[in-house]
Amino acid sequence: MQTHGVRVGQESAKKAMSFIEAITVIAKEEGIKGYWKGNLPQVIRVVPYSAVQLFAYEIYKKIFRGQNGELSVVARLTAGAFAGMTSTFITYPLDVLRLRLAVEPGYRTMSQVALGMIREEGIASFYRGLGPSLIAIAPYIAANFCVFDLLKKSLPEKYQKRTETSILTALLSASLATLTCYPLDTVRRQMQLKGTPYTTVLEALSGIVARDGVVGLYRGFLPNALKTLPNSSIKLTTYDLVKRLIAASEKEFQTITEENRNKQQNINSQG
């Protein structure tokens, strides 16, 4: 839905494809397995992408923390933006490969598509659209992580550690981030395609609006939201849960260590 206009050509009368139409066309032309085209590079990508993103967020928060040890809203937003750009840059070639596998006709393996890109377009093709991707992900992760943190902190302490609170705040933060940053995601998708007419973000924005109107920037928003919102909610909730478990484990370990030290000192004093 996001790339339909570029793929059918600028002169095509059919400007858009609806959600139901997209589902039907994929089933008709490619069968059930068409819904999973490009899934392998996505699965390979998601582990380092999420790991780097969450780890980088904690590192950047330490870097931008003020002298009083507190993080301002601007510092949180900056840490989120840098974390998003770091993880995107590291895993970007797999993101391009995933899109090519998903939208190009026929069935080819990941290695066939990758080798074809190198042979026909060069290594640079794996980084096509990197600029708009970094521009798109920076505000998205910044808003997502920052709103999640601030919403959690604004609640009474008895609610902060509840799993359902994490799920709800993660859902709200992801919704806000997705709604505000989606147009840039459409731009980067269209710039990743082979034969794209766009070379800059501004050119892509103006071209999409000229062809489809402002609504063209939100093509595919519904399926994207249906995927992104639970995905982001689960990720942030699990991350929050694991952080609390690690903190509790460290505290328990320190308590046990302290008790053993005291016991040893008592034994030595009695001896």
Side-chain angles (χ1 to χ4, degrees), residues 76-258:
R76 286 184 189 278
L77 287 169
T78 307
F82 273 66
M85 289 191 289
T86 301
S87 57
T88 297
F89 180 78
I90 289 172
T91 61
Y92 191 73
L94 284 168
D95 190 45
V96 175
L97 193 57
R98 172 185 63 142
L99 181 77
R100 293 295 187 91
L101 276 165
V103 302
E104 289 185 3
Y107 284 92
R108 293 195 291 168
T109 64
M110 190 167 73
S111 58
Q112 286 175 330
V113 173
L115 289 171
M117 288 172 65
I118 293 170
R119 186 170 55 251
E120 297 171 19
E121 305 169 66
I123 294 292
S125 62
F126 285 95
Y127 288 92
R128 183 171 292 146
L130 177 61
S133 292
L134 295 177
I135 294 169
I137 201 66
Y140 175 79
I141 298 299
N144 197 353
F145 284 12
C146 181
V147 172
F148 177 75
D149 282 349
L150 293 178
L151 280 176
K152 284 288 296 293
K153 283 187 72 175
S154 67
L155 295 170
E157 196 169 339
K158 64 177 181 178
Y159 294 115
Q160 288 185 16
K161 295 183 179 180
R162 293 172 63 168
T163 303
E164 54 267 39
T165 301
S166 293
I167 293 171
L168 184 59
T169 51
L171 189 62
L172 288 171
S173 62
S175 299
L176 176 65
T178 302
L179 187 64
T180 54
C181 303
Y182 189 76
L184 285 169
D185 189 63
T186 299
V187 167
R188 80 185 181 98
R189 291 295 179 205
Q190 294 207 13
M191 289 186 71
Q192 285 176 341
L193 286 175
K194 180 180 180 180
T196 179
Y198 309 126
T199 55
T200 67
V201 176
L202 290 177
E203 187 183 351
L205 280 168
S206 59
I208 294 167
V209 171
R211 176 183 168 80
D212 299 333
V214 174
V215 72
L217 296 171
Y218 283 89
R219 299 283 187 217
F221 178 80
L222 178 59
N224 183 277
L226 291 173
K227 174 183 78 82
T228 302
L229 298 188
N231 184 309
S232 184
S233 299
I234 291 167
K235 179 170 72 174
L236 286 176
T237 301
T238 304
Y239 181 56
D240 197 45
L241 209 63
V242 170
K243 276 179 69 178
R244 292 207 304 268
L245 286 171
I246 291 172
S249 298
E250 288 178 342
K251 190 174 180 181
E252 182 70 20
F253 179 74
Q254 288 173 355
T255 302
I256 293 170
T257 304
E258 189 65 32

Side-chain angles (χ1 to χ4, degrees), residues 46-64:
V46 75
V47 175
Y49 177 77
S50 295
V52 169
Q53 189 177 91
L54 294 168
F55 175 72
Y57 183 54
E58 292 299 322
I59 296 297
Y60 287 128
K61 280 201 296 185
K62 290 178 182 177
I63 293 171
F64 295 122

